[in-house]
Amino acid sequence: MLTLWPKFSLIDQITKVKVFRLKSLQKITLGARVVGDRGQVFQSHAHFIADKHGQVDVCRDPSVGGSYRGVSAMGLLWSMIPAPGQRKGIRLIKSDVTKPYNFALNCFDGHISPQESSSSKPLSSKTFEKGYMVNGVKRIPVKEGRIRGTLFLPPGDGPFPGVIDLFGGERGLVEYKASLLASHGFATLALAYIGYEDQPLSPSSINLDYFEDAANWLVSHPEVLSHGIGMHSICYGSWIALLMASYQIAAIKAIVAISPLVIAYRHPFQFKGRVSDVIPPNDSRVQSSEKGSIWRFAFSTDLDYMNPTVSKYSAITPVENINCPVMLVSGTDDLNIPAEFAANFIFDRLKENGKEHLCINLLYPQAGHIIEPPYSPLCDSSFNRSSKEFGGDSYAAWGGETGAHAWAQEDSWQKILHFLRKHLQQKTESGDEED
């Protein structure tokens, strides 16, 4: 009755769901459930009406109620929310990329709620897997000098285009985007820089020399194309990636900056023995909400008075110096940082210097801060240690309207992959990219 194909696929690929042998125009509910790596439970449900042949095709037929409405092949995934009875601020995030998520899908007669489904017997049940690593991806822990992280190599013979993935300012090592990029053909280094192994939990500054060392190490790796690498980054990581390009670290040939930052707000950075200025946020402008602290308005966007001291780098990233292609991804409902301002600032500075051809600026209405690979559930609020340490409460509000955010993730991800392939693939003698 309930069919799924394929049994396993990457998190950013479609799982086709169909229901057969129903009555003509029968009402059904499909309910999905997954248990995360830390035991957190997420769920969704959608109401469908069978066609005259007694069939439902989730890729074709609209949901008429439930967690989402309309036609969306993966709506049951991106519309997931935490199941009731759990602590506030949980997030579905992959900590063990070697194991896929196991999703349970149930088909119930009639249009019912999740609460009603818990006491109802399903007509049919199936499971399917969604992961971040395809067979053949190699996961290699990296401890080279002071460099800490994990290198993911694609299946097959290299060398491959190289990418460094930088997460936001949270502590530890996050691997799920790097492993997914490797599954799409990129040799990707998930690079840790705060609170991992012997790294300080609260660094006094961000040392750009460390990231230059990591870039040089990756570009010289025998499995990586030697003409240069890209950066895939979000939030605090995007600030670092944009600094690397602005100070023209030679290995950097392309930047993807999601929810970008262009000002040293929390920490100064240091590079080649010099330290930057800092423009700290105005904590009195942090707003409280049911979801958590809204930090967006605490960060100044008035750049007129921001002049560096003679001995220091400016707190404002000199993005006008960037000479490599840049893709910016931001949402208008980002409640954490002024990402839309930063993206427009970067584009305008490049345009003033005749470099607008280098910049793609993707701005998504009603998308929030945490723009993930496709079909990831919206995280509009979560526990955040940094928010508490810097004067907010223990939870941060990230923003985003569920459907609009889902579209931003689906649309931007394909453009990100195309952008990285275009600018990092090996060039042939004729100047064309290799297939």
Side-chain angles (χ1 to χ4, degrees), residues 350-407:
L350 289 172
K351 184 176 181 179
E352 289 169 6
N353 288 269
K355 301 179 182 180
E356 66 268 28
H357 63 283
L358 294 176
C359 187
I360 298 172
N361 188 6
L362 303 178
L363 176 63
Y364 292 96
Q366 295 184 281
H369 180 74
I370 303 180
I371 299 175
E372 298 273 62
Y375 317 130
S376 305
L378 167 67
C379 177
D380 62 357
S381 170
S382 68
F383 174 78
N384 186 262
R385 185 181 292 107
S386 299
S387 178
K388 181 70 172 178
E389 291 176 352
F390 291 132
D393 63 30
S394 298
Y395 301 90
W398 306 113
E401 187 280 323
T402 303
H405 193 88
W407 165 246

Side-chain angles (χ1 to χ4, degrees), residues 7 119 162 188 232 259 264 272 320:
K7 173 70 174 178
S119 59
T188 309
H232 180 268
S259 302
K272 308 299 184 186
E320 61 274 9

Side-chain angles (χ1 to χ4, degrees), residues 259-281:
S259 302
L261 282 170
V262 290
I263 296 173
Y265 286 120
R266 289 295 182 192
H267 302 98
F269 69 89
Q270 58 174 306
F271 187 49
K272 308 299 184 186
R274 290 176 62 198
V275 181
S276 76
D277 282 325
V278 178
I279 301 163

